[in-house]
Amino acid sequence: MDDERGDCCFDDWVDHWSKRAKRKRTVAGVTASVLAALEEAGVRDRSVLDVGCGIGDLAIETVRRGASKAFGLELSPKAVGEARRLAAKRGVADRTSFEVGDGSKARLPNADVVVLNRVFCCYPDVDQLLEHSLSAAGAVYAFTAPPSAGLTGAIMRWEMRFANLWYRMRDRRFHGFRVFIHDIDLIDARVRAAGFRPVRSERRRVVWHLGVYVRPEGRAAA
């Protein structure tokens, strides 16, 4: 992803996310499922790294549910500013921090729990994103991504073709932004190869695959 994309796309969506955050604790419905799965896997008294954090709602809610601290990384400067404001509003500014950055390029800080919620689909290639995020994860690794197999996977591919046509027609605004479907089995294999075992692998809200993994005798974050 090029540097322009943080400004051209995600900044434009921050106001919409912020309006939703006024009504609900989480911007996207699937985020509530991620939070419940993280609680089950073990988030209390652990540090959390939220890669592609948006306006920080997931990171903020992990702290509200017992995480010791949370750090969010996000391409959009406007989203980072809103995440800091939302953290202060919800009373967890002292245990959260948010910075502008690209998880596929930046060296990520170690954390007990690493989450990539609705992030893989924004990248044409997820190899570096996987490498950096898996290297940072100590005990729990979780992600959501569009399903890639079966009928739902086929439907999602068609939907993304139409979405990308829309972005292409409005390229002055979106500056080359596209959405992608990546092979869930290949992602799963990479996570397992890093020493994690799956505790959740399921479809959530039809259009999302939720994967949650734990590392046996998970190492503590540095």
Side-chain angles (χ1 to χ4, degrees):
M1 298 183 66
D2 57 52
D3 293 337
E4 278 189 296
R5 296 187 186 184
D7 295 330
C8 76
C9 306
F10 302 114
D11 275 1
D12 294 341
W13 298 327
V14 169
D15 291 341
H16 171 69
W17 296 338
S18 299
K19 288 178 182 178
R20 298 201 67 174
K22 291 178 181 178
R23 302 192 305 270
K24 298 181 178 181
R25 286 292 175 185
T26 58
V27 172
V30 71
T31 305
S33 299
V34 177
L35 286 166
L38 290 178
E39 282 191 287
E40 185 177 300
V43 75
R44 180 168 294 278
D45 298 324
R46 284 175 162 171
S47 58
V48 175
L49 170 61
D50 184 3
V51 181
C53 65
I55 62 169
D57 51 318
L58 187 151
I60 290 166
E61 289 305 306
T62 60
V63 170
R64 287 170 52 86
R65 297 178 186 216
S68 58
K69 59 182 179 179
F71 173 69
L73 191 72
E74 168 59 44
L75 284 165
S76 163
K78 185 175 179 180
V80 167
E82 179 62 14
R84 293 169 179 167
R85 188 200 67 79
L86 188 61
K89 181 178 180 180
R90 295 187 180 178
V92 295
D94 59 330
R95 290 186 288 156
T96 57
S97 58
F98 301 94
E99 299 293 340
V100 177
D102 185 339
S104 70
K105 299 176 181 177
R107 181 179 179 184
L108 301 176
N110 290 343
D112 298 313
V113 180
V114 172
V115 188
L116 296 95
N117 182 31
R118 304 187 303 154
V119 175
F120 288 137
C121 53
C122 296
Y123 283 79
D125 187 327
V126 295
D127 283 348
Q128 289 298 311
L129 192 58
L130 277 165
E131 181 179 339
H132 291 182
S133 58
L134 285 167
S135 296
V140 179
Y141 189 87
F143 70 89
T144 59
S148 61
L151 177 61
T152 305
I155 292 171
M156 291 302 298
R157 285 187 174 86
W158 276 106
E159 286 193 1
M160 288 202 173
R161 287 191 183 100
F162 283 113
N164 286 334
L165 177 61
W166 173 269
Y167 293 134
R168 189 176 294 111
M169 292 170 62
R170 290 155 180 80
D171 211 40
R172 285 190 178 184
R173 175 179 179 183
F174 292 105
H175 295 271
F177 176 77
R178 302 289 186 268
V179 286
F180 306 89
I181 291 182
H182 299 284
D183 191 322
I184 296 297
D185 288 342
L186 292 180
I187 295 173
D188 173 77
R190 286 285 298 274
V191 180
R192 289 172 186 258
F196 291 88
R197 63 174 178 83
V199 292
R200 287 279 188 105
S201 180
E202 60 195 35
R203 193 72 48 79
R204 302 300 301 180
R205 302 186 73 84
V206 182
V207 296
W208 295 105
H209 172 89
L210 169 62
V212 181
Y213 301 76
V214 298
R215 190 195 299 274
E217 306 298 329
R219 69 174 190 267

